[in-house]
Amino acid sequence: MRTHIWQGMTEEDCEMHYKGLVFDFDYTLGDSTDGIVICVNHALNQLGYAQAKRDLICRTIGLHLQEVYQVMVKAQGKEEKLGEEEEFSRLFIEKADRVMTENTLFFPGVLESLGQWKEQGYKLGIVTTKYR
């Protein structure tokens, strides 16, 4: 009997073909949208820009922080300033160290599934642009 265990994969698929499983984090294992919104707007405010709307920030999730900065500045009709990409990244990370964990949630069933796969001997990995 084929039991679906993760987005179309079956136990049979794993047993026959896979020794390891690699996942992206955001929108696959969990959701850190609230933390990302807080951190982007913190960095923008510290640099003198207006806060960005949640939906714009959401469209940048998965990009490198320098790219997020570029999108946010362009959306406000401003010109990028030399050195600001690095400062935006520093401010984002500084805030993330304080708020990201409490504003990140795993999707239902993810931790249980990861635990089961680990017990079954699968190597597990996460590929992400996150710094921590």
Side-chain angles (χ1 to χ4, degrees):
M1 184 166 113
R2 296 176 66 119
T3 306
H4 292 281
I5 55 176
W6 192 263
Q7 298 183 355
M9 286 178 42
T10 66
E11 289 180 32
E12 182 181 289
D13 290 335
C14 290
E15 290 171 7
M16 294 179 64
H17 303 287
Y18 302 103
K19 294 180 182 178
L21 304 170
V22 180
F23 303 94
D24 181 41
F25 183 82
D26 281 310
Y27 301 132
T28 302
L29 299 177
D31 185 1
S32 56
T33 302
D34 290 345
I36 292 168
V37 169
I38 291 167
C39 295
V40 167
N41 279 326
H42 167 77
L44 289 172
N45 287 337
Q46 292 298 307
L47 294 171
Y49 295 102
Q51 287 197 344
K53 292 187 178 185
R54 182 182 180 89
D55 66 320
L56 175 62
I57 295 171
C58 287
R59 291 195 304 266
T60 68
I61 291 176
L63 298 178
H64 292 283
L65 290 175
Q66 293 83 1
E67 295 170 300
V68 175
Y69 164 80
Q70 293 166 355
V71 169
M72 295 301 136
V73 170
K74 184 176 180 180
Q76 293 191 23
K78 308 281 184 178
E79 295 286 326
E80 296 175 35
K81 296 178 186 170
L82 185 62
E84 246 184 16
E85 287 179 356
E86 291 81 15
E87 183 64 5
F88 176 88
S89 297
R90 187 190 69 74
L91 290 163
F92 180 102
I93 293 167
E94 176 183 272
K95 185 71 168 181
D97 285 344
R98 296 192 311 269
V99 303
M100 193 63 72
T101 300
E102 66 196 39
N103 287 284
T104 300
L105 303 171
F106 283 97
F107 291 128
V110 166
L111 293 177
E112 295 82 0
S113 295
L114 292 173
Q116 289 172 356
W117 293 327
K118 185 174 180 180
E119 286 176 12
Q120 293 170 0
Y122 295 105
K123 305 271 188 215
L124 303 174
I126 296 175
V127 177
T128 184
T129 57
K130 290 191 178 305
Y131 292 87
R132 312 262 189 283

